[in-house]
Amino acid sequence: MEKTERKEPALTSNCSFTGIRPAMADLPYPPLQVKEKNQRYAELLSMDYCGPVSELSAITQYINNENRLFCEACPVARMLLGIAVAEMMHLQKLGEMIHLLGGSVDFIAKQPGGRQKMWTPAYLTIPKQSIEMIRADIESERGAIHQYAMHIKEINDEYVNAVLARIIKDEEYHIMLLQAMAESL
């Protein structure tokens, strides 16, 4: 008698990411332009691009959280992916403005005093529990809003500041979405 091998069922995801759209405030973005080249402004934006509190950090943290939640909390994972896509758009806009200002677009944040730091995953907060992930995401959004507001005060370019102010609107919207998610968990 031949022994038949019993196959275990394949593990599959029932969470569909079809149709994910960026989670953004329903407002247009101002045109990407600058008054003139300004290395100092480009360096400030490099912090927003890839510093400890940055779009690159936000994208990576959201994608990591989404990857860890898609099996147990599909609606939350879908929303986190939508927020990550919005953060990718912010990263793209910052990169273009850095370039227009005469800076270099890389993964090195130019800090005050000439210090430079390459982006690292050590900037991320990666808790194990889903509610703690959402709380960490809320705090990251608050940190981004604070940093953007500080940069707006330091930058004397109405074009750059208009884009930063518009990004803040998205970050505020993300906090609202995340708070609603936290209440549902």
Side-chain angles (χ1 to χ4, degrees):
M1 207 189 293
E2 196 174 304
K3 191 175 181 180
T4 58
E5 207 174 298
R6 184 174 166 225
K7 288 188 176 182
E8 294 292 322
L11 298 176
T12 61
S13 168
N14 293 326
C15 190
S16 171
F17 293 101
T18 302
I20 294 291
R21 299 177 56 89
M24 301 171 67
D26 191 18
L27 299 166
Y29 270 87
L32 294 179
Q33 57 188 357
V34 300
K35 273 196 305 193
E36 60 191 10
K37 290 188 182 282
N38 186 310
Q39 193 63 41
R40 184 172 162 274
Y41 295 169
E43 290 174 358
L44 285 172
L45 294 185
S46 78
M47 295 295 294
D48 301 320
Y49 187 84
C50 65
V53 176
S54 68
E55 298 299 337
L56 186 60
S57 293
I59 293 163
T60 309
Q61 186 165 305
Y62 280 121
I63 293 294
N64 183 274
N65 290 347
E66 175 272 318
N67 287 170
R68 294 183 307 143
L69 291 174
F70 80 94
C71 284
E72 69 184 65
C74 181
V76 172
R78 285 179 54 84
M79 182 57 67
L80 293 178
L81 186 57
I83 293 172
V85 173
E87 304 294 4
M88 288 176 204
M89 294 174 74
H90 299 165
L91 185 76
Q92 183 272 333
K93 291 175 186 322
L94 289 169
E96 282 191 24
M97 287 192 303
I98 290 167
H99 179 76
L100 291 171
L101 288 164
S104 61
V105 180
D106 50 28
F107 296 108
I108 299 172
K110 287 78 175 176
Q111 300 175 333
R115 295 187 329 251
Q116 297 186 4
K117 268 195 107 165
M118 181 170 264
W119 185 86
T120 172
Y123 294 155
L124 308 179
T125 302
I126 309 290
K128 293 193 185 301
Q129 301 299 317
S130 56
I131 188 66
E132 294 305 318
M133 289 179 207
I134 302 303
R135 287 182 183 143
D137 292 339
I138 290 169
E139 287 310 306
S140 294
E141 294 287 355
R142 286 182 178 145
I145 290 168
H146 176 74
Q147 183 167 290
Y148 281 126
M150 286 179 20
H151 289 171
I152 287 171
K153 288 179 184 175
E154 293 183 51
I155 294 172
N156 185 19
D157 183 323
E158 67 270 14
Y159 303 119
V160 173
N161 286 343
V163 174
L164 298 182
R166 174 58 186 81
I167 290 173
I168 287 173
K169 298 279 187 215
D170 286 341
E171 309 300 17
E172 291 168 340
Y173 181 62
H174 297 163
I175 289 173
M176 181 194 73
L177 294 172
L178 292 164
Q179 287 172 332
M181 274 190 257
E183 291 170 12
S184 73
L185 293 177

